[in-house]
Amino acid sequence: IISYKSRFALRALIPLLFVFSLSISFKVFSDQSRHELLFYSLRKNAAIAYIHNGEAYLVSDLLNNDKIRTFSIQPALASRGITSIKNIQMAGFFSNEEVKVSTDFMQFGHFKMIRWNKGMDSLRFTRKVRCDLILLSGNPRINIRRLTDNVEFPLLLIDATNPDYKIRKWKEEASVLKIPAYILKNQPAYVLQAN
């Protein structure tokens, strides 16, 4: 025989359990349907995570056993419900239906970016290239004006593999040209929705 107080407690508990199970289901669904690009803010390295359908593609210049992975990268991915991580070397080549990575050009879903590094300093394009983002990495010798002559892009990211004096110079040049710029050094990670 269930007492009146027990029945009241049971009736109050059932809606709470229902709301709790709904919130867990919503989190699992949102983790599985998340499409994000995370540009990590590291001290001397570069790392980009593309989160797609509950898994992550991690493009970085880090070794697999590097402590930075353990303390800076994996917690951010775990907080998004990611358990499967495909590691891709930044200087390597990788291609599948969703991700295409080479040293200089990367595509995550429909999102296209150029990683402008020293090897691209002498490049001249016959026509202007369009991409969604430029990442200045590896200490190139480029100025932003010349970059805009070759590439049309709405956002500039500058990672920590560049010296501080160049980072300041590029940020000033981007400001004059009214190009949004974000520095991936001593800042939070930069997160983009990549649908």
Side-chain angles (χ1 to χ4, degrees), residues 69-139:
R69 279 180 186 272
T70 306
F71 296 112
S72 297
I73 294 174
Q74 288 174 338
L77 295 176
S79 73
R80 287 168 165 77
I82 304 300
T83 55
S84 172
I85 302 170
K86 171 71 177 162
N87 293 303
I88 304 166
Q89 279 298 308
M90 199 161 270
F93 178 81
F94 178 84
S95 180
N96 70 12
E97 290 179 11
E98 281 299 314
V99 177
K100 292 169 183 39
V101 174
S102 68
T103 303
D104 308 323
F105 300 97
M106 298 178 195
Q107 183 172 343
F108 304 99
H110 297 292
F111 189 90
K112 296 175 184 171
M113 64 173 275
I114 297 174
R115 180 177 167 258
W116 199 281
N117 56 52
K118 276 185 188 179
M120 299 184 74
D121 280 341
S122 60
L123 285 182
R124 299 286 184 268
F125 299 108
T126 55
R127 65 173 206 235
K128 206 171 208 180
V129 175
R130 190 197 170 294
C131 67
D132 298 301
L133 177 142
I134 293 277
L135 174 65
L136 292 178
S137 184
N139 196 16

Side-chain angles (χ1 to χ4, degrees), residues 32-176:
Q32 290 297 314
S33 61
R34 185 185 307 259
H35 292 263
E36 286 181 333
L37 274 168
L38 275 78
F39 294 87
Y40 287 92
S41 181
L42 305 174
R43 289 183 64 206
K44 295 182 180 181
N45 297 93
I48 304 164
Y50 174 56
I51 298 170
H52 174 70
N53 290 340
E55 62 183 2
Y57 295 88
L58 179 65
V59 182
S60 75
D61 59 1
L62 298 166
L63 300 173
N64 285 339
N65 59 357
D66 200 310
K67 288 182 181 179
I68 293 172
R69 279 180 186 272
T70 306
F71 296 112
S72 297
I73 294 174
Q74 288 174 338
L77 295 176
S79 73
R80 287 168 165 77
I82 304 300
T83 55
S84 172
I85 302 170
K86 171 71 177 162
N87 293 303
I88 304 166
Q89 279 298 308
M90 199 161 270
F93 178 81
F94 178 84
S95 180
N96 70 12
E97 290 179 11
E98 281 299 314
V99 177
K100 292 169 183 39
V101 174
S102 68
T103 303
D104 308 323
F105 300 97
M106 298 178 195
Q107 183 172 343
F108 304 99
H110 297 292
F111 189 90
K112 296 175 184 171
M113 64 173 275
I114 297 174
R115 180 177 167 258
W116 199 281
N117 56 52
K118 276 185 188 179
M120 299 184 74
D121 280 341
S122 60
L123 285 182
R124 299 286 184 268
F125 299 108
T126 55
R127 65 173 206 235
K128 206 171 208 180
V129 175
R130 190 197 170 294
C131 67
D132 298 301
L133 177 142
I134 293 277
L135 174 65
L136 292 178
S137 184
N139 196 16
R141 292 183 184 138
I142 187 89
N143 66 55
I144 306 304
R145 171 77 64 196
R146 199 179 105 220
L147 192 58
T148 59
D149 291 342
N150 290 305
V151 184
E152 181 183 332
F153 58 98
L155 177 64
L156 176 69
L157 297 183
I158 304 168
D159 73 19
T161 64
N162 301 294
D164 288 339
Y165 77 94
K166 278 193 179 176
I167 291 172
R168 282 190 300 276
K169 179 177 146 273
W170 289 329
K171 187 167 184 180
E172 289 170 11
E173 291 174 1
S175 178
V176 168

